[in-house]
């Protein structure tokens, strides 16, 4: 679905139309079948200061712009087994340092994970990497900040947020 959507995700596209196209591609590729297979949750296409979970409603006229930072989040399921895919899209290279920070922090979270890892320690490592970066916009330097109320999460059968939440900031969570 990501590969199919790449040429369509560009400035000038109406977000509602983009989400509809993505969800229709998902339905076709997995042979949608009621509750047995289909779209796992409404596609999120959050722009700029909205970190996640914004979905355009029918009739929404929001159009993707060249200077937008869009977080695209979509999911599929087959027999309740969910795949949650999220990635960030930009069209202006001034945001490349932000994407570098996010990629490095994500790789750190994956590397720090393991059977004996404490969730709070993973969050601390992710935050340290994320906040070691800066972004320069219009001559002003901004520190990159981890978002305190955004987490990684377990996924269960027919449950997009199940079980453990993995913080992306330092905390006292001792769960392994």
């Amino acid at each position: 679905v990501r590969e199919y959507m790449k040429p369509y995700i560009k400035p000038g596209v109406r977000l509602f139309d983009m989400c509809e196209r993505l969800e229709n591609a998902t339905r076709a590729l997995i042979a949608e079948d009621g509750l047995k297979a289909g779209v796992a949750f409404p596609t999120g296409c959050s722009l700029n200061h909205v970190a996640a979970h914004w979905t355009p409603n029918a009739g929404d006229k929001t159009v993707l712009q060249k200077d937008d930072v869009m977080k695209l989040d979509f999911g599929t399921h087959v027999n309740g087994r969910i795949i949650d895919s999220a990635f960030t899209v930009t069209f202006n290279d001034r945001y490349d340092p932000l994407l570098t920070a996010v990629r490095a922090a994500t790789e750190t979270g994956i590397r720090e994970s393991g059977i004996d890892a404490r969730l709070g320690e993973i969050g601390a490592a992710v935050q340290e990497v994320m906040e070691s970066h800066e972004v320069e916009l219009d001559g002003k330097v901004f520190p990159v900040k981890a978002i305190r109320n955004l987490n990684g999460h377990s996924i269960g059968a027919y449950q997009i947020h199940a079980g453990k939440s993995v913080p992306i900031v330092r905390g006292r969570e001792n769960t392994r």
Side-chain angles (χ1 to χ4, degrees):
V1 173
R2 284 174 71 159
E3 285 301 312
Y4 168 78
M5 289 299 295
K6 276 184 182 177
Y8 189 74
I9 299 171
K10 59 186 175 190
V13 68
R14 197 170 75 133
L15 295 183
F16 180 81
D17 297 336
M18 180 193 66
C19 290
E20 284 287 300
R21 176 176 234 141
L22 187 151
E23 290 176 3
N24 287 336
T26 298
R27 288 179 183 103
L29 287 170
I30 64 167
E32 183 177 51
D33 183 16
L35 292 178
K36 290 182 181 179
V39 174
F41 51 86
T43 299
C45 55
S46 307
L47 295 179
N48 306 318
H49 68 281
V50 178
H53 305 136
W54 183 83
T55 301
N57 292 316
D60 188 288
K61 306 285 188 219
T62 306
V63 172
L64 187 59
Q65 304 296 318
K66 181 184 184 291
D67 285 325
D68 284 336
V69 176
M70 180 176 66
K71 289 71 66 182
L72 194 60
D73 186 5
F74 69 98
T76 62
H77 85 90
V78 175
N79 294 323
R81 301 297 177 205
I82 298 172
I83 295 175
D84 182 358
S85 178
F87 58 98
T88 302
V89 178
T90 64
F91 305 97
N92 188 328
D93 60 7
R94 73 187 198 151
Y95 298 115
D96 287 353
L98 177 62
L99 297 181
T100 297
V102 171
R103 195 172 298 112
T106 300
E107 290 169 358
T108 297
I110 293 168
R111 188 174 50 254
E112 294 293 319
S113 298
I115 193 95
D116 288 329
R118 296 185 187 280
L119 297 180
E121 292 170 359
I122 296 169
V126 169
Q127 182 178 14
E128 182 178 345
V129 170
M130 179 77 79
E131 294 185 355
S132 71
H133 291 265
E134 297 176 328
V135 176
E136 183 179 336
L137 301 174
D138 302 324
K140 187 173 179 184
V141 177
F142 296 91
V144 175
K145 301 298 251 175
I147 299 171
R148 295 198 175 280
N149 65 347
L150 195 59
N151 297 313
H153 54 86
S154 298
I155 298 174
Y158 293 103
Q159 249 185 324
I160 188 62
H161 292 168
K164 298 177 183 178
S165 289
V166 183
I168 62 171
V169 295
R170 182 173 287 105
R172 296 186 180 135
E173 177 60 62
N174 282 318
T175 303
R176 292 179 190 253

